[in-house]
Amino acid sequence: MEEGTETPKYDHLTVYSPLPESETLLYCSAFRKDTGITVDCIHLPAGEMTARLEQEWDNPQASVLLGGSADNYIQLREAGLLEAYQSPELTDVSEAYQDEQGVWNPIYIGTLCFACNTDWFARTGTPMPTCWDDLLSPALAGQIVMATPKSSGTSYTTLATLVQMRGEDKAWEYLQKLDQNVGLYTRSGVEPAERVKNGEYAIGIVFSHDAFRAALDGYPIEVCSPADGTGYEIGACALVRNAPERERENARIFIDWLTSSRGEECYIEAKSCRLPANSTARAADGLPSLDEVKLITYDLEWAGENRTRLISYFDTHIYSARTLA
């Protein structure tokens, strides 16, 4: 090899992501423009992404997980399926949003909210919900759409939030009552916003960035944050343990890029309405700050450690019971 000639590096990377394809196309395109590395992104709801990684534990097919709540990453971390790696860009991220064990990397923050179809509320004269108990109103029978926590990180955050706010017994009582007003459980956490913006349902329980994006696109959506408190996700990314050897350098480059202000400011162009975790990154105009939302003291580690148990109970006593009724 001639002096000064660099060894050609592998120029591809395989990623699993629950984020909308319209977003990841933009992020991956910007990353390729910056680095010359092509990202092959496979889209899966967060729960299915977790399940696939568990199935592939001895032969991973992806090198990076992109997006989805850190709850999922904690479960995978405890199962030994993620490789510890912390981007140098995390010096600009609040310690409150970081993995205490140094495995996953925070890239955005999203709060739970109610996406409300203003046309439906104007037509029916029904008051908009301002707290979680308002969702139990008989006027909303069949008008609520949410994802199932078995496949959706959004819905699992909802479940963990209610348990942390009310205690398990009262949370399950609440969810049994809420089930009477749920017209549809979807596979992904993004779909409820789609269903509400198109007028199929009155309310979707979603992360605020999905609701704000629908409003930004001109749909009749109002974003209502529960005044009695709400949970939130820390969107994350991480390296997959034992990922393909030829992709490992690119995987670290990708995570460094995702956690940088350059990577997180792509949320603006993507109209994702995500709040960057990196304090030096600009957020889209018009988004409320976290100080404007009443957040609970959400125990992320507890949520991750209890994820399998809580999802199993929900699936058996609420979702499956409804399906068999």
Side-chain angles (χ1 to χ4, degrees), residues 24 44 88 107 156 165 172 181 228 232 234 311 322:
T24 58
L44 300 162
I107 53 176
Y156 177 66
M165 288 179 69
W172 292 125
N181 282 354
D228 49 340
Y232 60 92
I234 300 172
I311 289 175
R322 168 197 184 96

PDB file of all heavy atoms in Angstrom, residues 24 44 88 107 156 165 172 181 228 232 234 311 322:
ATOM      1  N   THR A  24     -36.382   8.769   9.681  1.00  0.00           N
ATOM      2  CA  THR A  24     -35.096   8.078   9.585  1.00  0.00           C
ATOM      3  C   THR A  24     -34.471   8.247   8.212  1.00  0.00           C
ATOM      4  O   THR A  24     -33.242   8.285   8.090  1.00  0.00           O
ATOM      5  CB  THR A  24     -35.232   6.583   9.920  1.00  0.00           C
ATOM      6  OG1 THR A  24     -36.176   5.976   9.036  1.00  0.00           O
ATOM      7  CG2 THR A  24     -35.689   6.393  11.358  1.00  0.00           C
ATOM      8  N   LEU A  44     -39.264  -1.194  13.025  1.00  0.00           N
ATOM      9  CA  LEU A  44     -40.034  -2.088  13.875  1.00  0.00           C
ATOM     10  C   LEU A  44     -40.595  -1.283  15.038  1.00  0.00           C
ATOM     11  O   LEU A  44     -39.907  -0.403  15.559  1.00  0.00           O
ATOM     12  CB  LEU A  44     -39.143  -3.195  14.456  1.00  0.00           C
ATOM     13  CG  LEU A  44     -38.412  -4.137  13.491  1.00  0.00           C
ATOM     14  CD1 LEU A  44     -37.277  -4.832  14.225  1.00  0.00           C
ATOM     15  CD2 LEU A  44     -39.392  -5.162  12.951  1.00  0.00           C
ATOM     16  N   PRO A  88     -18.834  10.972  23.256  1.00  0.00           N
ATOM     17  CA  PRO A  88     -18.217  12.168  23.860  1.00  0.00           C
ATOM     18  C   PRO A  88     -19.146  13.377  23.840  1.00  0.00           C
ATOM     19  O   PRO A  88     -18.928  14.339  24.583  1.00  0.00           O
ATOM     20  CB  PRO A  88     -16.968  12.397  23.000  1.00  0.00           C
ATOM     21  CG  PRO A  88     -17.206  11.657  21.725  1.00  0.00           C
ATOM     22  CD  PRO A  88     -18.067  10.491  22.086  1.00  0.00           C
ATOM     23  N   ILE A 107     -30.999  10.811  23.183  1.00  0.00           N
ATOM     24  CA  ILE A 107     -30.987  11.688  22.006  1.00  0.00           C
ATOM     25  C   ILE A 107     -32.197  12.630  21.921  1.00  0.00           C
ATOM     26  O   ILE A 107     -32.141  13.630  21.208  1.00  0.00           O
ATOM     27  CB  ILE A 107     -30.865  10.881  20.689  1.00  0.00           C
ATOM     28  CG1 ILE A 107     -31.935   9.784  20.594  1.00  0.00           C
ATOM     29  CG2 ILE A 107     -29.468  10.291  20.555  1.00  0.00           C
ATOM     30  CD1 ILE A 107     -31.930   9.027  19.269  1.00  0.00           C
ATOM     31  N   TYR A 156     -46.181   1.540  26.674  1.00  0.00           N
ATOM     32  CA  TYR A 156     -45.596   1.040  27.912  1.00  0.00           C
ATOM     33  C   TYR A 156     -45.257   2.202  28.844  1.00  0.00           C
ATOM     34  O   TYR A 156     -45.442   2.107  30.065  1.00  0.00           O
ATOM     35  CB  TYR A 156     -44.335   0.200  27.683  1.00  0.00           C
ATOM     36  CG  TYR A 156     -43.764  -0.205  29.025  1.00  0.00           C
ATOM     37  CD1 TYR A 156     -44.465  -1.071  29.852  1.00  0.00           C
ATOM     38  CD2 TYR A 156     -42.592   0.379  29.511  1.00  0.00           C
ATOM     39  CE1 TYR A 156     -44.008  -1.373  31.128  1.00  0.00           C
ATOM     40  CE2 TYR A 156     -42.128   0.079  30.783  1.00  0.00           C
ATOM     41  CZ  TYR A 156     -42.838  -0.803  31.588  1.00  0.00           C
ATOM     42  OH  TYR A 156     -42.394  -1.081  32.858  1.00  0.00           O
ATOM     43  N   MET A 165     -47.881   6.718  39.280  1.00  0.00           N
ATOM     44  CA  MET A 165     -48.718   7.774  39.826  1.00  0.00           C
ATOM     45  C   MET A 165     -49.723   7.255  40.855  1.00  0.00           C
ATOM     46  O   MET A 165     -49.981   7.907  41.873  1.00  0.00           O
ATOM     47  CB  MET A 165     -49.493   8.482  38.705  1.00  0.00           C
ATOM     48  CG  MET A 165     -48.672   9.363  37.800  1.00  0.00           C
ATOM     49  SD  MET A 165     -49.663  10.130  36.485  1.00  0.00           S
ATOM     50  CE  MET A 165     -50.687  11.274  37.431  1.00  0.00           C
ATOM     51  N   TRP A 172     -54.408  -0.548  37.718  1.00  0.00           N
ATOM     52  CA  TRP A 172     -55.118  -1.589  36.967  1.00  0.00           C
ATOM     53  C   TRP A 172     -56.626  -1.319  36.963  1.00  0.00           C
ATOM     54  O   TRP A 172     -57.292  -1.539  35.946  1.00  0.00           O
ATOM     55  CB  TRP A 172     -54.826  -2.972  37.545  1.00  0.00           C
ATOM     56  CG  TRP A 172     -53.406  -3.412  37.348  1.00  0.00           C
ATOM     57  CD1 TRP A 172     -52.521  -3.817  38.304  1.00  0.00           C
ATOM     58  CD2 TRP A 172     -52.689  -3.490  36.102  1.00  0.00           C
ATOM     59  NE1 TRP A 172     -51.307  -4.135  37.762  1.00  0.00           N
ATOM     60  CE2 TRP A 172     -51.379  -3.946  36.399  1.00  0.00           C
ATOM     61  CE3 TRP A 172     -53.017  -3.214  34.777  1.00  0.00           C
ATOM     62  CZ2 TRP A 172     -50.403  -4.130  35.420  1.00  0.00           C
ATOM     63  CZ3 TRP A 172     -52.053  -3.387  33.800  1.00  0.00           C
ATOM     64  CH2 TRP A 172     -50.766  -3.842  34.113  1.00  0.00           C
ATOM     65  N   ASN A 181     -63.550   2.757  27.115  1.00  0.00           N
ATOM     66  CA  ASN A 181     -63.613   3.893  26.185  1.00  0.00           C
ATOM     67  C   ASN A 181     -62.646   3.763  25.017  1.00  0.00           C
ATOM     68  O   ASN A 181     -62.666   4.581  24.100  1.00  0.00           O
ATOM     69  CB  ASN A 181     -63.326   5.195  26.929  1.00  0.00           C
ATOM     70  CG  ASN A 181     -64.520   5.692  27.727  1.00  0.00           C
ATOM     71  OD1 ASN A 181     -65.607   5.118  27.638  1.00  0.00           O
ATOM     72  ND2 ASN A 181     -64.329   6.738  28.516  1.00  0.00           N
ATOM     73  N   ASP A 228     -52.655  16.741  36.064  1.00  0.00           N
ATOM     74  CA  ASP A 228     -52.324  15.999  37.280  1.00  0.00           C
ATOM     75  C   ASP A 228     -50.981  15.292  37.174  1.00  0.00           C
ATOM     76  O   ASP A 228     -50.586  14.559  38.079  1.00  0.00           O
ATOM     77  CB  ASP A 228     -53.430  14.997  37.634  1.00  0.00           C
ATOM     78  CG  ASP A 228     -53.857  14.129  36.470  1.00  0.00           C
ATOM     79  OD1 ASP A 228     -53.603  14.502  35.307  1.00  0.00           O
ATOM     80  OD2 ASP A 228     -54.467  13.066  36.706  1.00  0.00           O
ATOM     81  N   TYR A 232     -42.757  10.595  30.834  1.00  0.00           N
ATOM     82  CA  TYR A 232     -41.992  10.990  29.652  1.00  0.00           C
ATOM     83  C   TYR A 232     -41.032   9.868  29.271  1.00  0.00           C
ATOM     84  O   TYR A 232     -40.773   8.940  30.045  1.00  0.00           O
ATOM     85  CB  TYR A 232     -41.208  12.276  29.920  1.00  0.00           C
ATOM     86  CG  TYR A 232     -40.214  12.174  31.055  1.00  0.00           C
ATOM     87  CD1 TYR A 232     -38.888  11.816  30.828  1.00  0.00           C
ATOM     88  CD2 TYR A 232     -40.605  12.444  32.361  1.00  0.00           C
ATOM     89  CE1 TYR A 232     -37.978  11.722  31.864  1.00  0.00           C
ATOM     90  CE2 TYR A 232     -39.708  12.351  33.409  1.00  0.00           C
ATOM     91  CZ  TYR A 232     -38.397  11.987  33.161  1.00  0.00           C
ATOM     92  OH  TYR A 232     -37.510  11.885  34.195  1.00  0.00           O
ATOM     93  N   ILE A 234     -37.172   9.074  27.551  1.00  0.00           N
ATOM     94  CA  ILE A 234     -35.878   9.521  27.070  1.00  0.00           C
ATOM     95  C   ILE A 234     -35.579   8.662  25.853  1.00  0.00           C
ATOM     96  O   ILE A 234     -35.355   7.457  25.972  1.00  0.00           O
ATOM     97  CB  ILE A 234     -34.780   9.352  28.137  1.00  0.00           C
ATOM     98  CG1 ILE A 234     -35.134  10.170  29.386  1.00  0.00           C
ATOM     99  CG2 ILE A 234     -33.429   9.785  27.589  1.00  0.00           C
ATOM    100  CD1 ILE A 234     -34.211   9.925  30.554  1.00  0.00           C
ATOM    101  N   ILE A 311     -46.208  -5.621  31.252  1.00  0.00           N
ATOM    102  CA  ILE A 311     -46.778  -5.877  29.926  1.00  0.00           C
ATOM    103  C   ILE A 311     -47.537  -7.195  29.920  1.00  0.00           C
ATOM    104  O   ILE A 311     -48.634  -7.304  29.341  1.00  0.00           O
ATOM    105  CB  ILE A 311     -45.676  -5.870  28.850  1.00  0.00           C
ATOM    106  CG1 ILE A 311     -45.164  -4.443  28.618  1.00  0.00           C
ATOM    107  CG2 ILE A 311     -46.180  -6.461  27.539  1.00  0.00           C
ATOM    108  CD1 ILE A 311     -43.993  -4.353  27.675  1.00  0.00           C
ATOM    109  N   ARG A 322     -60.185  -8.476  26.450  1.00  0.00           N
ATOM    110  CA  ARG A 322     -61.047  -7.712  25.535  1.00  0.00           C
ATOM    111  C   ARG A 322     -61.216  -8.471  24.209  1.00  0.00           C
ATOM    112  O   ARG A 322     -62.314  -8.543  23.663  1.00  0.00           O
ATOM    113  CB  ARG A 322     -60.388  -6.354  25.282  1.00  0.00           C
ATOM    114  CG  ARG A 322     -60.966  -5.528  24.146  1.00  0.00           C
ATOM    115  CD  ARG A 322     -59.957  -4.458  23.759  1.00  0.00           C
ATOM    116  NE  ARG A 322     -60.474  -3.583  22.751  1.00  0.00           N
ATOM    117  CZ  ARG A 322     -61.051  -2.421  22.975  1.00  0.00           C
ATOM    118  NH1 ARG A 322     -61.206  -2.002  24.211  1.00  0.00           N
ATOM    119  NH2 ARG A 322     -61.486  -1.664  21.989  1.00  0.00           N
TER     120      ARG A 322
END
